[in-house]
Amino acid sequence: MNPDEPEADETTPEEEEWQLYATAGYAAAEDPWDDLVEVEDDEDEEEEWFDGDDFETNGQTLDWDSPPCPAPLGIAHMIRLGTCNHCLHRVGGRRTEEIGEKGGASIRAEAFARDKELESYEAPDLCPLCENLFEDVDNIVERIVEQTGELGHGSLQVGVHVPKDLIQEEDRIRTRHAAPGSRPLKAAFLEAVQTGVSARMEGVEFVKERPDLMILIDCLTLRVDVDIRPVFIYGRYRKLDRGIPQTRWPCRACRGRAEGCEACEGTGLQYPDSVQDLIGEPFRLVLSAEDTSFHGMGREDIDVRCLGRGRPFVLEVKRPKVRRTDLEEVMEAVNSNATGKIEISDLRWTNRSEVSRIKETRAEKSYTIRFSVEEPPEESFIVDSITKLSGVTLEQQTPKRVSHRRADKNRKRKVVSIDNVLVEDNEVQFSVRCEAGTYVKELVHSDEGRTVPSVAGVLESPCEVIWLDVEDIHAD
Ligand SMILES: [Zn+2]
Ligand SMILES: [Zn+2]
């Protein structure tokens, strides 16, 4: 058996995950986020709202040759075009006491004071610079807050999709009539959303990479997607009881479906407890999260205890609505909840990169193993023969019991040391330290000669393992 061979890494690399997310739920034909990457425009659907000099409103021809803002004539021109207050502030190039919508309103009021006729000008309903997008900012902020709940603090990254034709049209008008240095639509809209979110959520910070929350806004449909990134907690666990699997184990009969079956008494689980849930459930509840993943530095069999300093692990808590909590408090809750089953220690916050470190670490391990000997030889012979195995290199062929899921091959593993050999009638116990990936039970019973040398081999009698404990994992 191999209690400590790290399982295959099932974690999707983060970048790939982002890729999945970026396209999740959208038909490939129309990706609303495609403007997040520079794409060559095919120009086939260019729709012009303003066609130069023959544009007329209210019977008057617009003066497309007016000077750009902040010249009064430029501002009057923008008002005639139907520019909204938000955009008027954005492209007007005037200093105002307030910003945004209110800033634009005061620029408009000044312009009306200069030119009475401007006030009676019948402008188009939709602002040509934003199609009234800024009116939706509050609505969008509301949706973000709804989906993220009470997130005390954290870093946010916001992505916005603005229809391509609007971007092009806005750019055309802005380059010609806006004050030099005016902010483009997308950047200004993003800023308006961020300002709105900051006002509603305390202590948030906006970042360009590795956010706690990734928010994607589609300005065409006003759809808001919030991806809450997981949090990671490092620790060590001791497993004090046999019969507990490391990770959640779905019921074999019903394959763990939600409503369970008769065999699992409706739990969907093959074993009621797992190290994953004994640790993960208290964290999931405290952090208002959806689920957990458990990453151990290798794993022991269900019937093997893990003692000593315990086994390093990283708990991944998925879609948490709370990102930080008092680790000591949760640790105490876990330990009192799981008395006699497991115990955790050394908790600290960490990140995804430690998951790979934990999974790739090949640490030596120390065990205590107890077994029975069918025809036990003299005690001194037993002690001598077993002690002599200290320092040998084992040849281990993949054990029969795991051959259905692992390739059949020979491997060499070193027995670093053996001591404390104890004989009681036909039962023997000893301590052994060996290289990562050693099949320790097989070292004793030989797996019908697949492990050479072995205790059964040197004692020339069949041996049967009674129990096995991991005493230490020599890492961290
Ligand atoms: Zn506008
Ligand atoms: Zn079941």
Side-chain angles (χ1 to χ4, degrees), residues 379-394:
E379 177 170 342
S380 59
F381 181 79
I382 294 178
V383 175
D384 277 1
S385 321
I386 294 178
T387 308
K388 273 188 196 149
L389 291 173
S390 186
V392 302
T393 297
L394 304 172

Side-chain angles (χ1 to χ4, degrees), residues 83-84 86-87 90 127 129-134:
T83 304
C84 74
H86 207 113
C87 291
R90 173 163 69 91
C127 168
L129 290 169
C130 73
E131 289 192 332
N132 297 11
L133 198 54
F134 287 95

